[in-house]
Amino acid sequence: MRRLLIEEPVTRAGGLSRQVAWLALLVTGIALLLVRDPRAETGPALATLGSGLALALVSVLLAAYALLRVWREGARGLGAAFGGLFLALLVLAYPAYGALRGLRLPAINDVTTDIENPPAFSRSRTAFAARDGRYPPDPGPAARERQRGAYPQIAPLTLDIDADQAFELARKAAINRRWQIVEAIRPGGRIGNGRIEAISRSLVLNLPDDVTVRVHPRADGARIDVRSASRLAGRDFGVNADRIRAYLDEVANLAIAVK
């Protein structure tokens, strides 16, 4: 008698998912190195990062198909499918968190503590060159109203110290936040306001954003206003508001320490 050999079904999608996930991890890692390198062009680097995320999504779909076959047909390949799924989710975790957070926030990329009279960015040659030849445009009344609704807590910081002291604290806070200070003008002169122009880079992608700080002398002390604008159009995923909150908290803590 001849014995019939019954081959167990094997899903190739599981192994393919794992291979694609490793490729996604490699491409994403290279893309992060490119994005964080100030010498690299931002556009191509972000496109490479997008390719890595797209590969991770493909890996998730392949893993889902493999798991479906394992459940319905008892096919082999469960370990490979779970391995691919784990690696793919590892790549997608942080972008997914940012996307979900961003969907709850308004589509703005410019936030200020003074909606009615936002601090203007410097037009000096030094500041203009540091911003790669761009001047952040005013987003307009509609965007400012969206900011008002989303970030009612973003407000000026008033200190009961003179403007020169407030300026020094504002400058020190910028240094503590590891901002690149492009221009620093003390209060006084015709206008009376002090100004700090700086570039702040995001923690993960190291992308540059533009920040300007205005120190306005008052009879009872000084008022500090901040404006932070992303260079990429569209949504900022709450980065600018977070930056302003952290910076003003830093200034306030420094003010408490010197008293």
Side-chain angles (χ1 to χ4, degrees):
M1 295 179 62
R2 301 175 61 184
R3 299 178 61 183
L4 296 177
L5 298 177
I6 302 176
E7 295 185 0
E8 294 184 13
V10 179
T11 173
R12 296 181 179 178
L16 188 57
S17 170
R18 185 167 56 187
Q19 293 173 4
V20 173
W22 277 115
L23 180 60
L25 194 62
L26 176 63
V27 172
T28 303
I30 294 173
L32 285 175
L33 292 176
L34 289 174
V35 171
R36 292 186 60 84
D37 188 349
R39 298 167 298 179
E41 293 186 23
T42 303
L46 289 177
T48 305
L49 180 61
S51 300
L53 299 180
L55 286 170
L57 286 173
V58 171
S59 175
V60 170
L61 293 176
L62 288 170
Y65 176 73
L67 292 174
L68 183 63
R69 283 204 60 196
V70 169
W71 179 62
R72 285 186 173 180
E73 305 171 18
R76 290 183 296 162
L78 181 64
F82 272 123
L85 185 62
F86 172 78
L87 291 173
L89 293 179
L90 190 66
V91 173
L92 294 171
Y94 185 78
Y97 164 76
L100 290 174
R101 183 176 185 238
L103 290 176
R104 301 195 301 267
L105 299 173
I108 58 177
N109 67 340
D110 188 318
V111 177
T112 179
T113 57
D114 189 348
I115 291 178
E116 304 301 329
N117 182 28
F121 285 93
S122 173
R123 292 184 178 271
S124 71
R125 289 183 179 180
T126 302
F128 199 65
R131 294 195 299 264
D132 292 335
R134 69 184 297 274
Y135 185 83
D138 188 273
R144 292 301 184 206
E145 285 303 313
R146 290 197 293 271
Q147 178 200 315
R148 193 194 302 272
Y151 309 117
Q153 75 281 16
I154 297 295
L157 175 65
T158 302
L159 301 174
D160 57 351
I161 56 178
D162 64 55
D164 281 334
Q165 288 179 298
F167 176 83
E168 284 301 323
L169 294 181
R171 190 179 64 84
K172 186 175 181 181
I175 294 173
N176 290 350
R177 302 301 301 173
R178 297 186 178 180
W179 293 357
Q180 176 192 346
I181 296 179
V182 175
E183 194 174 77
I185 300 176
R186 303 184 69 86
R190 290 187 302 108
I191 301 176
N193 293 332
R195 184 178 70 246
I196 298 172
E197 293 278 325
I199 295 173
S200 174
R201 292 185 174 272
S202 58
L203 181 62
V204 177
L205 298 181
N206 202 39
L207 294 176
D209 292 332
D210 301 309
V211 185
T212 184
V213 180
R214 182 176 64 201
V215 181
H216 176 67
R218 293 163 49 108
D220 58 347
R223 165 174 161 162
I224 298 178
D225 282 288
V226 188
R227 179 180 172 190
S228 178
S230 300
R231 296 190 183 183
L232 297 179
R235 297 176 181 269
D236 66 2
F237 301 98
V239 171
N240 288 305
D242 290 344
R243 177 179 296 120
I244 291 175
R245 275 192 293 260
Y247 173 72
L248 291 181
D249 286 345
E250 183 84 25
V251 177
N253 290 334
L254 289 173
I256 293 173
V258 298
K259 287 184 178 180

